[in-house]
């Protein structure tokens, strides 16, 4: 069993474990650094990552999504979506629309203001990352470029390993 030998204390050793620990330790700081650089470059509001994820989900479905569909797509509990929508509706970032065919249900859509904000976040994020990546040595740029397909496969493998989610992730 490659990279799955137990170290005796219930943890796994080997190269895969070392990579997992290092990657896990870098992901949070990388995400936060990109968000800080993005916000400061454009003077953007301090939207929490969960709100940005919800906006991304809604922006990819212009016809809107039910709260349950949002929860499933984001793999979070329905109560998490409810709390996000409450806060984001008050800030005019998310709109609740009642379909004509079923006045008992609600569809969530991203407001024009939030779509503009998301576009600004994406533009600023790309610009900030481009500036920094351009300053890296050639060997680092090549390594990052070579890692992209592996990172994409890692995301797909993590998503497949956890299926559609159990709806309890916060």
């Amino acid at each position: 069993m490659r990279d799955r030998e137990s170290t005796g204390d219930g943890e796994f050793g080997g190269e895969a474990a070392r990579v997992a620990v290092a990657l896990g330790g870098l992901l949070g700081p990388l995400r936060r650094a990109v968000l800080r650089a993005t916000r400061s470059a454009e003077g953007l509001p301090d939207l929490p990552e969960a709100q940005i994820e919800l906006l991304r989900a809604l922006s990819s479905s212009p016809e809107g999504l039910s709260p349950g569909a949002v929860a499933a797509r984001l793999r979070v509990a329905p109560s998490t979506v409810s709390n996000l929508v409450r806060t984001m509706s008050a800030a005019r970032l998310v709109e609740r629309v009642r379909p004509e065919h079923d006045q008992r249900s609600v569809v969530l859509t991203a407001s024009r203001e939030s779509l503009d904000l998301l576009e600004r976040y994406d533009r600023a994020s790309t610009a900030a990352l481009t500036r920094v990546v351009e300053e890296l040595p050639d060997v680092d740029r090549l390594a990052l470029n070579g890692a992209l397909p592996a990172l994409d496969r890692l995301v797909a493998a993590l998503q497949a390993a956890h299926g559609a989610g159990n709806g309890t992730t916060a």
Side-chain angles (χ1 to χ4, degrees):
M1 300 195 108
R2 199 173 115 229
D3 289 327
R4 290 189 180 248
E5 296 111 26
S6 176
T7 59
D9 59 0
E11 293 185 25
F12 294 106
E15 182 183 7
R18 285 189 297 280
V19 169
V21 168
L23 185 59
L26 287 171
L27 290 177
L30 175 62
R31 233 180 15 250
R32 287 188 298 278
V34 170
L35 277 174
R36 272 193 306 275
T38 299
R39 290 173 183 140
S40 68
E42 282 281 319
L44 291 163
D46 189 11
L47 291 180
E49 194 172 336
Q51 290 186 11
I52 293 171
E53 287 183 32
L54 183 118
L55 292 177
R56 287 202 189 289
L58 294 177
S59 70
S60 70
S61 297
E63 69 283 354
L65 293 169
S66 71
V70 171
R73 185 174 289 193
L74 297 181
R75 294 182 172 89
V76 298
S79 61
T80 300
V81 171
S82 180
N83 291 333
L84 284 169
V85 169
R86 186 178 314 109
T87 301
M88 295 173 75
S89 292
R92 296 188 320 262
L93 297 173
V94 172
E95 297 171 352
R96 295 177 180 139
V97 179
R98 295 211 181 271
E100 288 183 25
H101 67 279
D102 183 1
Q103 290 291 302
R104 295 171 296 157
S105 65
V106 68
V107 174
L108 305 173
T109 61
S111 70
R112 173 78 335 237
E113 179 182 346
S114 69
L115 292 173
D116 291 343
L117 268 177
L118 198 54
E119 184 179 318
R120 288 177 57 206
Y121 264 92
D122 288 344
R123 191 173 51 246
S125 174
T126 298
L129 282 168
T130 298
R131 279 191 302 277
V132 173
V133 169
E134 284 175 341
E135 294 174 3
L136 292 174
D138 289 345
V139 66
D140 288 347
R141 281 196 311 273
L142 287 171
L144 286 170
N145 188 50
L148 293 175
L151 291 170
D152 192 44
R153 289 188 297 273
L154 178 62
V155 169
L158 284 167
Q159 289 173 337
H162 297 286
N166 61 9
T168 60
T169 305

